[in-house]
Amino acid sequence: MLYLLVLLPLVVFLARKEAGRLVRLSVLVPLFSFLLAPFLLGTAAGPFRLDGVGLFYLLLTDLIYALVALFARGYFARAEAWRFYWAGALFLASAHGAYLAHNLGMLWVFVEGSTLASALLVYHKGGARPLEATWKYLMLGSVGIAMGLIGVILVYALVGGATLDWGEVRSLVGEADPEGLKVAFALLLVGFGTKVGLFPLQAWLPDAHAEAPGPASALLSGTLLNVAFYALLRYAAIMQAAGLFAFASSLLLTFGLLTLLFAALFLFGQKEYKRLLAYSSMEHMGLAVFALGLGLPWLALFHTLAHSLAKTLAFLGASGILSLTHAKEVGRVGGLVFHLPALGIPYVLALAALGGLPPFPLFFAEFKAVEAAMRWPGLAGLYLLGLGMAFAGLLPPMAQMGFGRGKPLRGQGLDLWILWLLLGILVILGVFPGVEVFKELEVVLWRK
């Protein structure tokens, strides 16, 4: 049945290029997977095994994909919709494979597969700028993932070539050469960190998000970044099992903090709102890596969940704005809260959520990270500085787009209720964060 979950998204190709059937299958397939996967928890088949952490990310991916696929029916012209849904099906199959893979080699294969499939999403309409963005994405992503492959091979060699099964590797690394494991983790962090969007390897991220169609950007930010972060979670757990988490923590905290600070700087003065959201994704993945570096995998899981929901909402809102105004620049969009509140209110609140304001869940995640980081006051101070700068960078675009001068709009043809659904989920998660659930997931990863 686990093989079925990997292959299930490819059912979409049966619809060929018929837009209506493509939408129906692209929504129903992830929903079916969403309902089926919990019953397969704990099962194994070949290199696949579904544990709690894999199930968590698989369910999140399926939910977001179904909502994005439904929203996309009002965004794409019927003649071009097939390109999005075909590429999306390939990406969803790769993501399923990554979250089910209990073999570190297969995990690498599916992470690379998600890179190739999502490149098709970036290069949707073609043209010089999408081609440049796709080329940059593929080159940087492939170089990074090649470094990750070297790290995988090194881990395999360090356990005597005995296995690549994640659970078995964790039981063997205690006897492995610690210096070799440190080198392997550094390579893996650089490799998968490129896909996560960590500084200074993030150059692909703003161009890819800016040039991809809006619904594709929602998938890139809401689901793709999590695939590589999931791999980092698995390898951080291996370092923890080997008694080397102090070394891994120093790298994770450094890269996470640098990513936060530079992303906050990049947020200032961004003229295009999709590029603004791309740098916000960079910021929040840095925050998630920082939380992992604090030795709080549960908080990293919670942060990626909150970010995925908020950023999907923001990018779908941006898709609607672009579709209705044909303007990419912040300064050419204004008064959304007054002229089209069904779109403007959830979009502005999504920016507020990304800025870390209560009652949204990212406020809770950032508060908990600051609380844990207070063991090192200097580190906590830099973290707070980055958060403040990031919020200051988001505030002017939020004010202009939500409350500035603008023209009346009509939201015909767009499923704006999806934005409100995501907003409702965010508020519920912010008020009731369910920490116990995430701490139970942490037990799956972490050896106490």
Side-chain angles (χ1 to χ4, degrees):
M1 292 296 286
L2 295 182
Y3 287 98
L4 174 63
L5 284 181
V6 177
L7 298 174
L8 190 60
L10 303 182
V11 170
V12 169
F13 287 98
L14 296 176
R16 300 190 179 183
K17 296 184 180 181
E18 204 281 303
R21 292 177 63 195
L22 279 170
V23 172
R24 287 192 293 273
L25 284 177
S26 296
V27 174
L28 291 175
V29 163
L31 289 180
F32 178 74
S33 171
F34 186 92
L35 296 173
L36 175 63
F39 295 100
L40 302 179
L41 180 63
T43 61
F48 300 117
R49 185 176 302 143
L50 185 59
D51 64 15
V53 178
L55 177 64
F56 166 76
Y57 278 115
L58 190 144
L59 295 179
L60 175 60
T61 300
D62 284 339
L63 174 64
I64 289 177
Y65 189 91
L67 293 175
V68 171
L70 188 58
F71 185 90
R73 68 177 178 174
Y75 183 86
F76 293 107
R78 296 178 68 87
E80 66 173 292
W82 66 272
R83 293 199 291 270
F84 171 78
Y85 290 111
W86 282 20
L90 292 173
F91 166 72
L92 186 61
S94 298
H96 277 194
Y99 296 138
L100 293 172
H102 222 250
N103 178 289
L104 298 176
M106 291 298 293
L107 175 59
W108 180 89
V109 168
F110 282 110
V111 172
E112 176 66 1
S114 70
T115 301
L116 298 175
S118 53
L120 298 174
L121 291 169
V122 176
Y123 189 69
H124 176 77
K125 285 189 174 182
R129 289 184 62 177
L131 177 61
E132 179 185 353
T134 305
W135 181 254
K136 184 184 294 185
Y137 172 46
L138 284 174
M139 288 301 99
L140 289 174
S142 297
V143 169
I145 211 70
M147 297 185 70
L149 177 59
I150 297 172
V152 174
I153 295 171
L154 187 52
V155 169
Y156 181 64
L158 289 168
V159 295
T163 181
L164 276 174
D165 180 86
W166 177 73
E168 294 177 9
V169 168
R170 287 186 72 217
S171 67
L172 294 172
V173 288
E175 306 299 323
D177 174 34
E179 297 306 314
L181 282 173
K182 290 178 181 179
V183 173
F185 184 78
L187 288 168
L188 290 159
L189 179 59
V190 172
F192 292 115
T194 303
K195 284 288 296 292
V196 170
L198 297 183
F199 179 85
L201 311 165
Q202 83 296 337
W204 65 270
L205 192 147
D207 289 346
H209 283 68
E211 296 306 322
S217 298
L219 289 180
L220 291 175
S221 194
T223 60
L224 173 69
L225 300 180
N226 289 343
V227 175
F229 184 76
Y230 172 80
L232 283 182
L233 277 172
R234 293 292 187 187
Y235 284 104
I238 288 173
M239 294 295 284
Q240 194 267 349
L244 297 172
F245 186 72
F247 171 79
S249 173
S250 64
L251 290 181
L252 292 167
L253 290 173
T254 300
F255 274 91
L257 191 59
L258 285 174
T259 301
L260 164 63
L261 293 171
F262 278 91
L265 286 173
F266 294 146
L267 284 170
F268 282 95
Q270 288 298 323
K271 295 181 179 180
E272 296 184 8
Y273 48 86
K274 285 184 67 182
R275 294 183 73 89
L276 180 86
L277 294 177
Y279 283 118
S280 171
S281 294
M282 175 185 167
E283 172 212 349
H284 281 285
M285 295 314 292
L287 292 173
V289 168
F290 186 88
L292 182 58
L294 290 172
L296 300 173
W298 74 266
L299 185 57
L301 289 165
F302 182 85
H303 198 114
T304 53
L305 169 63
H307 170 252
S308 292
L309 294 171
K311 194 53 62 63
T312 301
L313 168 56
F315 268 118
L316 291 184
S319 302
I321 295 167
L322 183 60
S323 176
L324 296 173
T325 66
H326 305 288
K328 293 184 176 182
E329 296 79 14
V330 171
R332 294 178 58 195
V333 179
L336 292 173
V337 169
F338 308 116
H339 299 305
L340 186 57
L343 171 60
I345 291 175
Y347 178 75
V348 168
L349 290 178
L351 294 182
L354 292 168
L357 294 182
F360 297 107
L362 288 169
F363 169 79
F364 173 81
E366 292 165 2
F367 177 82
K368 285 295 182 182
V370 170
E371 189 177 58
M374 287 306 293
R375 291 173 288 174
W376 308 281
L379 194 66
L382 288 172
Y383 185 89
L384 287 170
L385 174 64
L387 292 181
M389 291 168 57
F391 180 75
L394 285 172
L395 188 58
M398 183 166 55
Q400 165 59 33
M401 298 181 75
F403 307 100
R405 298 177 62 180
K407 300 177 181 179
L409 298 171
R410 296 179 64 187
Q412 284 184 315
L414 295 174
D415 291 298
L416 298 180
W417 62 269
I418 294 174
L419 307 185
W420 289 91
L421 174 62
L422 286 166
L423 180 62
I425 295 172
L426 275 172
V427 172
I428 292 171
L429 186 62
V431 177
F432 306 103
V435 172
E436 297 79 10
V437 176
F438 293 93
K439 288 191 174 180
E440 288 180 11
L441 291 176
E442 180 180 281
V443 174
V444 176
L445 283 169
W446 236 232
R447 178 177 294 170
K448 299 297 183 182

